[in-house]
Amino acid sequence: KAGVTQTPRYLIKTRGQQVTLSCSPISGHRSVSWYQQTPGQGLQFLFEYFSETQRNKGNFPGRFSGRQFSNSRSEMNVSTLELGDSALYLCASSLPWTGGNQETQYFGPGTRLLVL
Amino acid sequence: QKEVEQNSGPLSVPEGAIASLNCTYSDRGSQSFFWYRQYSGKSPELIMFIYSNGDKEDGRFTAQLNKASQYVSLLIRDSQPSDSATYLCAVKSGSSGGSNYKLTFGKGTLLTVNP
C-alpha cells in the first residue's frame, strides 16, 4: 500500500505571497492532520480534517487554512507569507482518528517551505 | 497548555548498549503514547505506541508507560549506529465523546550511537 504523499517537496516563496500544499493520505485513510515543524518550536499541530470537515485546529493565525476533498486528499494554504513561516510542513493520515487507543498517524515526506 | 517534555540531548551511547529515552506529559487524560524516529532531513517514522500501563516490546524496542507518574520511555537494546536519529514522543489527547483529538509532540531527543 502506498504511503502518504505530499507535493511539492520543496518550495521557495517570497514574503507576502501565498502557497498551497497538497497531501494524499494512505488509501482508505479518512483523517488528515497537518503539522508545522521548525527547529525552535518543534512539531506543532495545525489542523485535522475528516470527511471534508475541519474537526480540530491548533493555535495558528487565520492565514493558515486547509480543506479536504471527497477522496480524502487535503490541501493547506498559507496566505501573506512571513519569514517565520519557513518550515517543514507535514501531513499525517489515519484510518479513523477518534478515541480509539490503537489509532496511529503516519507521516508523509513533508514539504519544505523557504520564505525569502 | 498541554505539554510533552523530553530531554533534548544529545544522548550518546556506544554501539551495543541500551539507549533510554524519556518523556513526561502534563495531561492526565491522555489516551495513547507514541514514539517516532526522525532522521535528519526526513519525516517522522512511527516506531511503536502504547496505551496501557507497563511494558510493550517490539524487537529491540521496549516502550514503558506509567500513567500515575505521567511518564513514558523508550528503551533501545543493542543500539546500532543506524539508530542515530531524533526520537519524538507524542501524546494523543482529546475530549471524551468528542472528535477533536490531536497529537502533541515533545521537541525530541537526539540519539547518537557511536561505533
Side-chain angles (χ1 to χ4, degrees):
Chain A
K1 190 181 275 191
V4 180
T5 58
Q6 291 187 247
T7 57
R9 295 292 310 278
Y10 304 93
L11 208 48
I12 300 175
K13 292 286 188 179
T14 57
R15 279 182 299 174
Q17 288 187 308
Q18 75 166 19
V19 66
T20 299
L21 312 180
S22 180
C23 171
S24 292
I26 292 171
S27 178
H29 284 196
R30 298 176 62 195
S31 168
V32 174
S33 296
W34 287 90
Y35 297 86
Q36 180 196 65
Q37 187 175 33
T38 59
Q41 297 300 316
L43 256 167
Q44 294 187 290
F45 172 74
L46 280 157
F47 28 66
E48 186 253 344
Y49 285 88
F50 180 85
S51 291
E52 303 177 63
T53 301
Q54 185 184 91
R55 295 195 300 183
N56 200 3
K57 190 176 190 304
N59 296 323
F60 279 82
R63 300 185 297 107
F64 292 82
S65 63
R67 59 178 175 169
Q68 187 181 35
F69 301 95
S70 58
N71 61 358
S72 295
R73 189 178 70 86
S74 178
E75 290 181 346
M76 69 163 281
N77 183 275
V78 188
S79 62
T80 319
L81 284 166
E82 301 177 359
L83 296 179
D85 297 332
S86 294
L88 179 65
Y89 289 90
L90 293 157
C91 84
S93 78
S94 179
L95 189 56
W97 187 245
T98 57
N101 286 331
Q102 301 194 48
E103 297 166 353
T104 55
Q105 288 191 343
Y106 298 92
F107 282 86
T111 294
R112 192 165 295 279
L113 171 64
L114 176 61
V115 182
L116 301 175
Chain B
Q1 181 78 4
K2 299 172 183 177
E3 294 184 349
V4 178
E5 301 284 345
Q6 295 181 254
N7 290 329
S8 61
L11 173 65
S12 183
V13 301
E15 183 174 355
I18 295 175
S20 177
L21 304 159
N22 305 314
C23 173
T24 59
Y25 59 95
S26 62
D27 182 9
R28 283 196 171 276
S30 299
Q31 294 136 313
S32 45
F33 308 85
F34 303 80
W35 285 100
Y36 286 85
R37 176 176 62 196
Q38 187 172 26
Y39 292 112
S40 180
K42 302 294 186 183
S43 64
E45 171 193 12
L46 180 67
I47 297 174
M48 61 191 306
F49 66 94
I50 187 169
Y51 54 86
S52 297
N53 277 327
D55 296 358
K56 179 182 179 183
E57 188 175 317
D58 184 1
R60 295 186 296 112
F61 299 95
T62 299
Q64 299 174 316
L65 175 61
N66 184 326
K67 289 186 178 180
S69 299
Q70 295 175 244
Y71 176 91
V72 59
S73 66
L74 179 70
L75 300 178
I76 306 174
R77 290 182 301 282
D78 188 25
S79 296
Q80 302 297 310
S82 59
D83 295 326
S84 297
T86 296
Y87 288 80
L88 299 166
C89 171
V91 174
K92 180 182 180 183
S93 58
S95 59
S96 177
S99 58
N100 58 340
Y101 295 93
K102 68 175 184 177
L103 289 181
T104 301
F105 284 81
K107 292 193 175 181
T109 298
L110 177 61
L111 171 67
T112 301
V113 181
N114 301 305

